Amino acid sequence: VMEASTSDGRITLQPSLGRVDLVMPKEATDVDPGTYRFDIELTYPSGVRRTYEQENLVVMEDMSRD
């Protein structure tokens, strides 16, 4: 449903702070309510890939009123 990487600028890595920041444009987050599976996979300069996180993301229907 969504994809992000450091090459498209949607993910920034801050290893000194132990952080991975994800910034998605509003258009990319226009998804139907439901439960989605996600993972965070890093590819090191050596070419080794490692998955650090696999989890569920629950998207709920918007309840606020503008």
Side-chain angles (χ1 to χ4, degrees), residues 20-41:
V20 174
D21 293 329
L22 172 64
V23 179
M24 299 295 283
K26 181 182 180 207
E27 301 79 35
T29 61
D30 185 21
V31 296
D32 291 330
T35 300
Y36 297 87
R37 191 96 174 120
F38 76 89
D39 67 10
I40 297 175
E41 179 183 271

